[in-house]
């Protein structure tokens, strides 16, 4: 049964990681699962005022796309590894009796020749129905999840979502939107990138692109290069070559009023390294603004450590160490193309966008102070 719509629904949600104080009503719960090329991640949450409480979560590196770059297919071992993770997700969904959910798969399943066989396998082995979403929807959901981090001073916005198998870039013009309305204008993009008729001022998508290179696929493409620094330089240049068809690629941009928001494990790991965190703390990372000099310093530190040093660095973590340099190469290419004094770090993305879209459609978020 769809919850009643409260008066003044439609606010910007902010994920709250603390658990709900009481056992939540299953009728108020929503789930969002993001199965990417490298990771399987899920959130279960309940709306609370203009925000939402995270009730339960799951995250595991499954490497679904391992070997995909060379073979064009998902391997049997990768598929079974992913099924095991999805069985855990199913148990969590059953434990909380979640009825409203959206479970999506992205680039690896978009590209793999045997993705339909894998989706049927998941259904047979876990009872879960995965939906393979288009790159545009993936980009749009990542954008709206970042709305709370958009500055009211921002006139040109670049949102970058660095995934395992692809990287989505969305360029948005907010110059015609009144300052205080800019974060909400981003949130109203949940229905699509095309301008819609609305009494409210609209954000304008100048261009967007899905580059078929993420941290896993870019690493695999240059895996035969032995020299660490040389491989990093080739990865960064290789990624930049993919941006030639992105319309803002060659356009000069003013620093004033320009904001880049990065959402990915790469960006949050770089932020954690900058802060010297040996134990990850989302509250310290999400929303952090890093200067380009600070990011460059972290990347130089990664290069000086070398592969062995990175594997032993507690700031990077075991799951991320094999992928951090390909992600850093993407990040460096972006900062080289669009020089900016700051990058906003977002520990949020597709899952939060999926949750917001569901809650917004049901009208269960109240208006509140942004």
């Amino acid at each position: 049964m769809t919850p009643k719509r409260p008066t003044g629904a439609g606010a910007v949600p902010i994920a709250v990681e603390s658990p709900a104080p009481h056992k939540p009503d299953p009728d108020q719960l929503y789930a969002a699962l993001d199965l990417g090329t490298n990771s399987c991640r899920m959130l279960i949450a309940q709306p609370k005022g203009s925000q939402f409480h995270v009730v339960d979560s799951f995250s595991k590196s499954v490497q679904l796309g391992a070997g995909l770059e060379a073979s064009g297919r998902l391997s049997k071992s990768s598929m079974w590894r992913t099924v095991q993770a999805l069985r855990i997700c199913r148990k969590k969904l059953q434990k909380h009796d979640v009825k409203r959910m959206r479970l999506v798969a992205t680039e690896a399943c978009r590209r793999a020749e045997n993705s339909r066989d894998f989706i049927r396998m998941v259904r047979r082995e876990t009872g879960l129905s995965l939906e393979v979403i288009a790159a545009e929807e993936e980009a749009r959901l990542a954008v709206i999840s970042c709305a709370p981090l958009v500055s009211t001073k921002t006139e040109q916005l670049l949102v970058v979502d660095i995934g395992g198998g692809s990287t989505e870039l969305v360029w948005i013009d907010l110059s015609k939107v009144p300052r205080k309305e800019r974060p909400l204008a981003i949130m109203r993009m949940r229905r699509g990138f095309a301008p819609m008729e609305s009494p409210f001022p609209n954000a304008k998508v100048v261009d967007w692109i899905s580059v078929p290179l993420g941290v896993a696929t870019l690493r695999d493409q240059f895996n035969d290069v032995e020299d660490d620094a040389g491989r990093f330089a080739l990865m960064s240049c290789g990624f930049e070559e993919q941006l030639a068809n992105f319309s803002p690629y060659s356009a000069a941009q003013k620093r004033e009023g320009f904001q880049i928001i990065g959402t990915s494990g790469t960006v949050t790991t770089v932020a954690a390294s900058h802060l010297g965190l040996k134990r990850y703390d989302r509250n310290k990372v999400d929303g952090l603004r890093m200067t380009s000099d600070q990011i460059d310093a972290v990347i130089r530190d990664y290069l000086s450590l070398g592969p062995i040093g990175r594997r032993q660095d507690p700031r990077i973590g075991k799951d991320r160490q094999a992928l951090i340099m390909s992600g850093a190469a993407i990040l460096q290419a972006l900062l080289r193309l669009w020089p900016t004094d700051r990058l906003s770090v977002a520990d949020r993305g597709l899952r939060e966008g999926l949750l917001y879209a569901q809650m917004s459609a049901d009208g269960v978020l109240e208006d509140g102070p942004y």
Side-chain angles (χ1 to χ4, degrees):
M1 180 178 178
T2 302
K4 285 184 66 177
R5 180 183 180 88
T7 303
V12 176
I14 303 172
V16 179
E17 293 294 343
S18 57
H22 305 292
K23 183 175 175 61
D25 180 352
D27 287 337
Q28 295 181 352
L29 292 181
Y30 294 78
L33 185 145
D34 167 19
L35 177 59
T37 302
N38 189 59
S39 301
C40 176
R41 306 172 69 199
M42 184 178 73
L43 286 178
I44 297 174
Q46 67 177 140
K48 185 174 178 63
S50 62
Q51 307 177 15
F52 58 77
H53 269 294
V54 174
V55 174
D56 205 345
S57 64
F58 176 79
S59 180
K60 186 172 181 60
S61 174
V62 294
Q63 300 178 49
L64 176 61
L68 176 62
E69 190 72 15
S71 69
R73 297 176 61 84
L74 304 175
S75 70
K76 289 184 178 179
S77 59
S78 296
M79 291 192 292
W80 277 111
R81 192 164 53 239
T82 303
V83 164
Q84 295 304 316
L86 290 171
R87 282 174 175 161
I88 298 173
C89 294
R90 179 198 61 194
K91 289 180 181 179
K92 287 179 176 287
L93 293 169
Q94 291 175 337
K95 173 187 174 183
H96 295 286
D97 194 20
V98 182
K99 297 179 178 65
R100 284 182 300 282
M101 64 188 77
R102 196 161 178 212
L103 318 175
V104 306
T106 56
E107 184 67 12
C109 288
R110 286 196 293 263
R111 293 177 59 186
E113 297 172 4
N114 58 339
S115 62
R116 289 186 179 181
D117 294 336
F118 171 66
I119 298 297
R120 285 193 290 265
M121 176 184 177
V122 169
R123 176 70 177 178
R124 182 178 67 249
E125 298 292 333
T126 70
L128 300 178
S129 297
L130 290 177
E131 172 191 0
V132 182
I133 61 172
E136 179 175 349
E137 184 169 13
E138 181 181 0
R140 175 173 56 81
L141 290 166
V143 166
I144 65 174
S145 74
C146 294
L149 303 182
V150 175
S151 169
T152 55
K153 297 178 181 179
T154 297
E155 296 190 352
Q156 303 295 324
L157 173 68
L158 176 64
V159 177
V160 182
D161 182 12
I162 306 173
S166 65
T167 299
E168 280 67 46
L169 294 88
V170 185
W171 194 286
I172 302 165
D173 183 355
L174 291 165
S175 60
K176 305 299 183 184
V177 181
R179 286 192 171 192
K180 66 178 183 179
E181 291 288 326
R182 288 173 183 175
L184 287 173
I186 295 296
M187 197 58 70
R188 286 194 289 267
M189 295 172 65
R190 62 187 177 273
R191 296 181 183 176
F193 283 160
M196 59 182 181
E197 291 186 10
S198 169
F200 306 103
N202 283 321
K204 178 186 176 184
V205 175
V206 178
D207 197 9
W208 75 276
I209 188 172
S210 180
V211 178
L213 289 174
V215 292
T217 46
L218 185 61
R219 177 201 60 184
D220 291 348
Q221 195 171 99
F222 293 93
N223 217 22
D224 59 337
V225 181
E226 294 185 3
D227 180 68
D228 189 50
R231 181 171 57 250
F232 175 79
L234 288 170
M235 287 190 296
S236 187
C237 292
F239 182 82
E240 182 179 340
E241 289 175 357
Q242 297 289 320
L243 299 177
N245 294 327
F246 189 45
S247 62
Y249 173 77
S250 58
Q253 301 295 331
K254 297 179 181 178
R255 289 196 174 205
E256 186 178 352
F258 173 51
Q259 182 182 10
I260 296 182
I261 298 179
T263 169
S264 69
T266 293
V267 177
T268 56
T269 300
V270 168
S273 295
H274 165 66
L275 294 173
L277 301 181
K278 295 183 179 180
R279 184 179 179 86
Y280 187 79
D281 187 341
R282 182 184 188 275
N283 293 326
K284 293 181 179 179
V285 170
D286 186 49
L288 177 71
R289 301 187 73 193
M290 294 185 66
T291 67
S292 54
D293 288 342
Q294 289 169 338
I295 294 169
D296 283 341
V298 171
I299 294 175
R300 287 197 303 270
D301 184 35
Y302 288 163
L303 285 169
S304 67
L305 286 172
I308 296 175
R310 292 194 294 270
R311 281 195 293 270
Q312 298 172 345
D313 192 328
R315 303 170 304 166
I316 298 174
K318 293 181 179 179
D319 287 346
R320 183 60 49 181
Q321 56 86 18
L323 302 169
I324 188 60
M325 293 316 296
S326 50
I330 293 172
L331 189 56
Q332 187 188 70
L334 297 172
L335 293 175
R336 184 168 64 242
L337 292 174
W338 295 291
T340 177
D341 293 330
R342 303 277 175 179
L343 177 136
S344 301
V345 178
D347 185 354
R348 56 186 71 220
L350 184 53
R351 294 177 303 167
E352 288 80 3
L354 287 165
L355 284 173
Y356 175 74
Q358 292 178 86
M359 293 178 182
S360 178
D362 286 349
V364 294
L365 292 171
E366 299 174 358
D367 272 333
Y370 175 68

